[in-house]
Amino acid sequence: MPTPSPTVTELLQAWGNGDAAALDQLMPAVYEELRRQAQRYLRRERPGHTLQTTGLVHEAYLRLVDQRQADWQNRAQFFGVAAQMMRRVLVDHARSKRAAKRGGSGIQVTLEDATAAAKERGVDLLELDEALTRLAALDPQQARVVELRYFTGLGIEEAAQVLGISPATVKREWTMARAWLRRELSQQ
């Protein structure tokens, strides 16, 4: 009887313990989910965005590979970190585009339930990143909930598992963070 394939969590833990072969097995196991995450991100971008799904996945992958010191706990944590990497790639891309245009308009994304104004005009990715940075300074847990729920697409239960808190706390933090972001982004 053949031995079962290791789970994503087992591969992550082996990789975290220095097993380079585990990384070779891990990437094919998570690639499709990373593509789905990248597609969710890019659907929020303006039409004609120059960064494509594959490019975003590969750029995030390169950054993930550098996370050698990470203490991987589970699959949800990995995808949470992957979402942060994708967000950083998009922010870096937006900054380089803005710099190239010398102050031209930034890359536009849509933020669900952000603000009435945001619903009408879209939210600049750099403005959203700056708002999340400010939120992280005030309440790191709320900022992390936003990253996991909005950017990663994790459900309440999954986000609770990653953060090690109750689902009720995730719901409360999600509600508070969205209200705070609404206010911040509507003032911009």
Side-chain angles (χ1 to χ4, degrees), residues 91 98 107-108 121-134 181 184-188:
V91 168
R98 184 172 279 177
I107 294 173
Q108 299 290 311
R121 67 171 174 85
V123 175
D124 183 291
L125 182 59
L126 296 178
E127 289 175 10
L128 175 58
D129 182 61
E130 290 166 4
L132 279 173
T133 300
R134 289 190 303 273
L181 285 170
E184 284 294 302
L185 294 172
S186 67
Q187 293 174 359
Q188 305 248 340

Side-chain angles (χ1 to χ4, degrees), residues 100-113:
K101 291 181 179 182
R102 297 179 188 205
S105 64
I107 294 173
Q108 299 290 311
V109 296
T110 305
L111 176 61
E112 295 173 353
D113 302 323

Side-chain angles (χ1 to χ4, degrees), residues 2-174:
T3 50
S5 298
T7 66
V8 169
T9 298
E10 291 168 339
L11 290 171
L12 284 166
Q13 290 170 346
W15 174 37
N17 290 328
D19 182 356
L23 179 61
D24 294 337
Q25 290 180 302
L26 175 67
M27 290 323 292
V30 298
Y31 188 77
E32 283 307 312
E33 180 59 30
L34 290 174
R35 280 189 59 77
R36 281 191 289 279
Q37 272 187 345
Q39 288 169 340
R40 279 194 298 269
Y41 269 114
L42 292 172
R43 269 196 298 267
R44 297 176 182 132
E45 294 292 332
R46 63 170 170 42
H49 189 275
T50 57
L51 192 59
Q52 300 299 316
T53 302
T54 302
L56 180 54
V57 170
H58 290 182
E59 190 65 34
Y61 168 78
L62 291 174
R63 293 178 186 204
L64 281 167
V65 170
D66 286 339
Q67 300 297 312
R68 291 186 184 106
Q69 302 302 324
D71 180 23
W72 298 111
Q73 300 297 314
N74 55 44
R75 178 183 182 282
Q77 177 203 22
F78 172 80
F79 286 113
V81 172
Q84 286 179 338
M85 296 301 167
M86 287 183 194
R87 177 177 155 221
R88 290 178 189 158
V89 168
L90 288 170
V91 168
D92 291 347
H93 186 73
R95 284 187 178 130
S96 69
K97 287 296 227 184
R98 184 172 279 177
K101 291 181 179 182
R102 297 179 188 205
S105 64
I107 294 173
Q108 299 290 311
V109 296
T110 305
L111 176 61
E112 295 173 353
D113 302 323
T115 62
K119 286 179 184 173
E120 293 173 14
R121 67 171 174 85
V123 175
D124 183 291
L125 182 59
L126 296 178
E127 289 175 10
L128 175 58
D129 182 61
E130 290 166 4
L132 279 173
T133 300
R134 289 190 303 273
L135 177 60
L138 295 171
D139 192 323
Q141 184 166 285
Q142 283 184 8
R144 189 76 177 114
V145 166
V146 170
E147 287 176 338
L148 293 172
R149 296 275 295 132
Y150 179 73
F151 290 108
T152 309
L154 293 183
I156 298 289
E157 297 289 332
E158 291 172 309
Q161 180 185 10
V162 169
L163 296 172
I165 58 178
S166 73
T169 301
V170 170
K171 286 179 188 176
R172 185 175 52 253
E173 298 287 31
W174 175 238

